[in-house]
C-alpha cells in the first residue's frame, strides 16, 4: 500500500475503475477514494469510470473520460478479482495499473497490487488506509459516507461473518463524520412495488434439493419484464432462499438478454467460490457469482453446489 500511495502522489491524472454490474462496495470504494483524492490533491485530475447503475442512485454518476486522458494516467482498479470483470476496457491504456481488492487473488494483475482477503470489503481497505494518521490522505464527509455504504453492503449490514472487530471499529470512525447514516440505511432497505412482487415470486418458485440442503430460483427475462424490473433490480432477493431453515447453499439464476444465465451463489457454510470458478466465475467462499450458457446448464451448478453442501455437512458431523 505504501508503494500505491507513492504512485498516487506522483501522478497528476488518476482514473479509478471497479467491476461490472457494481454493488455498493464497488461504488463505495471507487467514489470514496475519488472524494479523498480530490480533497487531498485539489490540483490533480481524478476520475471515476464505468457504467452508471440507476438502482444505486445514492452514489453519484460516473465521469466521461476521453481516450487521450488515459495516456499518462495512473489507473486504480478497486474490488475486481479478474480483468474480465473490469468495467471499461481502457483500464490497460494507462501508464501504470494498480489493483486493490479483498477477493481471493486468483488472477494477479497490475504493476502494483494490494489484496487483503481478511477485509470485509474494498471500502474497508481504503477507509482503513485513509484513517491511518501516518498517511496524508484527507477523509471527507462524502468519502466517509461512500466507504460506510460499501462496508454495510458487503457485510450484509454487519450480519455476515466477514465482519471483524476491525470492520466495526472502522465503521464507527466513519460514523463520526457528517452524513445521514441511518437515513441512508433505511433508504437502502426500501423496495419498489416490482421488487415486492418479485419477492412473492421467489417465495412461490424457490426449489429445494430432496435433502433440503440446496435451494434455487430461476428468473427469466420474461418474468422480469412482467414484473417491470431490470436485471440489476433483482439483487434485492439474493438472500431470500437462504432464510429457509436447513438450506446451506443457494443460487439465483437470472437470464441475460443473450440467453445466458447469471448465477448469484451464496452460502451459510459450504465453500462455494470453487463452484463458481468452475462456471466462469469466482468470488468469496460464501458469496460468489458465475455464468452458464443456458437454462439446461443450471442442473450442473446445482449438482456442484449440492456436493459442496454435502461435504460441509459431513465435516460438521465428524467434528
Amino acid at each position: 500500500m505504501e508503494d500505491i500511495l507513492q504512485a498516487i502522489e506522483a501522478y497528476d491524472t488518476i482514473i479509478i475503475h471497479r467491476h461490472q454490474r457494481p454493488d455498493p462496495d464497488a461504488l463505495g470504494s471507487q467514489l470514496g477514494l475519488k472524494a479523498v483524492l480530490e480533497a487531498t490533491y485539489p490540483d490533480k485530475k481524478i476520475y471515476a469510470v464505468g457504467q452508471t447503475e440507476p438502482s444505486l442512485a445514492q452514489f453519484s454518476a460516473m465521469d466521461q473520460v476521453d481516450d487521450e486522458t488515459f495516456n499518462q494516467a495512473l489507473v486504480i482498479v478497486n474490488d475486481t478479482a479478474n480483468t474480465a470483470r473490469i468495467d471499461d476496457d481502457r483500464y490497460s491504456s494507462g501508464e501504470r495499473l494498480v489493483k486493490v481488492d479483498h477477493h481471493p487473488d486468483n488472477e494477479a494483475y497490475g504493476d502494483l497490487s494490494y489484496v487483503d482477503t481478511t477485509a470485509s470489503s474494498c471500502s474497508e481497505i481504503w477507509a482503513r488506509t485513509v484513517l491511518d494518521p501516518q498517511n496524508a490522505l484527507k477523509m471527507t464527509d462524502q468519502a466517509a459516507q461512500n466507504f460506510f455504504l460499501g462496508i454495510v453492503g458487503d457485510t450484509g449490514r454487519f450480519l455476515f461473518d466477514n465482519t471483524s472487530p476491525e470492520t466495526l471499529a472502522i465503521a464507527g470512525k466513519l460514523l463520526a463524520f457528517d452524513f445521514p447514516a441511518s437515513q441512508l440505511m433505511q433508504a437502502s432497505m426500501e423496495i419498489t412495488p416490482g421488487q415486492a412482487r418479485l419477492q412473492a415470486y421467489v417465495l412461490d418458485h424457490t426449489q429445494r434439493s430432496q435433502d433440503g440442503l440446496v435451494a434455487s430460483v430461476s428468473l427469466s427475462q420474461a418474468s422480469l419484464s412482467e414484473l417491470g424490473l431490470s436485471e440489476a433490480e433483482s439483487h434485492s432477493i439474493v438472500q431470500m432462499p437462504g432464510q429457509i431453515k436447513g438450506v446451506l447453499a443457494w443460487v439465483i439464476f437470472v437470464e441475460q438478454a443473450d440467453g445466458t444465465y447469471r448465477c448469484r451463489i451464496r452460502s451459510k457454510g459450504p465453500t462455494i467460490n470453487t463452484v463458481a470458478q468452475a462456471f466462469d466465475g469466482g468470488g468469496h467462499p460464501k458469496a460468489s457469482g458465475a455464468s452458464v450458457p443456458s437454462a439446461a446448464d443450471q442442473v450442473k451448478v446445482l449438482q456442484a453446489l449440492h456436493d459442496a453442501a454435502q461435504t460441509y455437512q459431513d465435516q460438521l458431523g465428524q467434528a
Side-chain angles (χ1 to χ4, degrees), residues 13-22 26-27 29-31 34 45-53 60-67 69-70 73-78 80 85-92 97:
T13 301
I14 300 170
I15 304 173
I16 310 167
H17 294 241
R18 39 74 183 162
H19 61 73
Q20 301 164 0
R21 300 168 180 152
L27 291 172
S29 60
Q30 181 188 34
L31 295 171
K34 179 186 177 184
K45 298 176 181 178
I46 314 295
Y47 303 100
V49 298
Q51 293 294 314
T52 297
E53 176 49 60
S60 61
M62 297 292 101
D63 297 316
Q64 299 300 312
V65 180
D66 60 36
D67 294 347
T69 304
F70 278 83
L74 175 69
V75 174
I76 300 174
V77 180
N78 282 342
T80 311
R85 293 197 67 213
I86 300 174
D87 197 345
D88 196 324
D89 292 339
R90 296 176 297 171
Y91 72 89
S92 59
L97 179 63

Side-chain angles (χ1 to χ4, degrees), residues 18-31 51-53 55-59 62 78-80 85 87 101-103 120-123 146 149-156 160 232 235 238 262 264 266 283-284 287-288:
R18 39 74 183 162
H19 61 73
Q20 301 164 0
R21 300 168 180 152
D23 57 13
D25 183 35
L27 291 172
S29 60
Q30 181 188 34
L31 295 171
Q51 293 294 314
T52 297
E53 176 49 60
S55 68
L56 293 171
Q58 66 268 42
F59 297 98
M62 297 292 101
N78 282 342
D79 197 38
T80 311
R85 293 197 67 213
D87 197 345
D101 194 20
H102 69 122
H103 297 90
S120 69
S121 55
C122 196
S123 293
N146 288 329
L149 290 175
I151 292 171
V152 167
D154 255 25
T155 60
F160 305 151
H235 71 85
V238 73
R262 179 183 181 184
R264 291 187 170 113
R266 298 293 185 269
H284 300 287
S288 293

Side-chain angles (χ1 to χ4, degrees), residues 4 8 47-48 116 164 186 227 231 240 242 284 287 296 303:
I4 292 172
I8 289 172
Y47 303 100
D116 180 4
S164 69
Q186 289 290 340
L227 293 166
E231 188 271 343
M240 288 184 65
H284 300 287
Q303 183 58 58

Side-chain angles (χ1 to χ4, degrees), residues 246-305:
V247 169
L248 294 180
W250 63 100
V251 55
I252 309 290
F253 297 106
V254 185
E255 186 181 17
Q256 307 298 292
D258 61 1
T260 63
Y261 279 80
R262 179 183 181 184
C263 313
R264 291 187 170 113
I265 309 172
R266 298 293 185 269
S267 163
K268 289 189 289 190
T271 299
I272 47 88
N273 58 338
T274 52
V275 173
Q277 289 165 15
F279 296 94
D280 193 29
H284 300 287
K286 296 180 184 178
S288 293
S291 179
V292 292
S294 68
D297 296 288
Q298 294 177 11
V299 66
K300 300 176 184 177
V301 177
L302 291 172
Q303 183 58 58
L305 271 184

